[in-house]
Amino acid sequence: MANKIRVAIIGVGNCASSLVQGVYFYQDAQDDEIIPGIMHPNLGGYRIRDIEFSAAIDIDAEKVGKDLGEAIWAGQNNTVRFAEVPTHTGITVTRGVVHDGLGPYLSQKITAAEGEAPNIAQLLKDTKTDVVINYLPVGSEKAARWYVEQILEAGCAMVNCIPVFIASDPEWQARFRERGLPVIGDD
């Protein structure tokens, strides 16, 4: 039996909501089952049920301080509900840094939570996070790069789900490779 993969999410928006729902929805998927949207229910011995959320980070005042199971429905999130997610996952959304993650359009819709972000690298270490998924808003180039520094310092792998070139950038690739950490994405 594989160990759990502890996953932190940066940006608890609609994409994060779909991911969290998907993990709960498909947790009992069988290896030989054909599942729309899931190419490989068993990937290297890991299954969907092996994903365990370790931390969630956002700046939205309507999400920060809430349990992840509540935050995925809060604020401007409007993704379709397709799975039951417990409202008490045990993961409280932590306040992140803003940098350029709150552009002109979003700042009309979202109020940044009060207070300062904690030491994100230490948070990732303390929560024993293995992989960090970046779901920051498109255009958050400064914020994405700042978070990558925290991810590297914490010794985590990264899945970059926004179009900021991290995984495809030779310098970032080298920095992850030097630490023996995988990095993929730039979607």
Side-chain angles (χ1 to χ4, degrees), residues 45-162:
Y46 289 99
R47 293 166 178 82
I48 297 162
R49 65 181 157 269
D50 296 323
I51 297 171
E52 179 177 88
F53 295 105
S54 58
I57 301 165
D58 204 284
I59 61 165
D60 188 339
E62 294 187 43
K63 297 174 186 176
V64 172
K66 288 187 175 170
D67 187 277
L68 178 60
E70 296 173 303
I72 61 172
W73 311 116
Q76 297 297 306
N77 287 12
N78 60 5
T79 194
V80 172
R81 285 184 190 238
F82 63 89
E84 291 300 316
V85 175
T87 55
H88 299 291
T89 64
I91 304 302
T92 302
V93 177
T94 301
R95 190 199 196 281
V97 298
V98 177
H99 290 294
D100 58 348
L102 191 58
Y105 172 73
L106 281 180
S107 64
Q108 295 173 18
K109 303 275 185 186
I110 294 172
T111 301
E114 302 223 351
E116 297 295 318
N119 180 322
I120 299 298
Q122 192 60 52
L123 170 73
L124 297 172
K125 289 177 189 176
D126 290 348
T127 57
K128 297 177 176 53
T129 296
D130 299 308
V131 179
V132 178
I133 299 177
N134 177 19
Y135 280 131
L136 288 171
V138 170
S140 305
E141 188 156 343
K142 249 190 210 173
R145 293 179 189 286
W146 184 88
Y147 276 110
V148 174
E149 293 292 352
Q150 308 310 302
I151 292 165
L152 283 166
E153 185 179 328
C156 301
M158 180 183 178
V159 178
N160 185 33
C161 297
I162 68 169

Side-chain angles (χ1 to χ4, degrees), residues 4 15 21 29 33 38-39 61 98 101 104 112 117 139 184:
K4 295 287 185 181
C15 293
Q21 288 185 75
E33 190 174 354
I38 305 291
M39 291 180 70
V98 177
I184 61 171

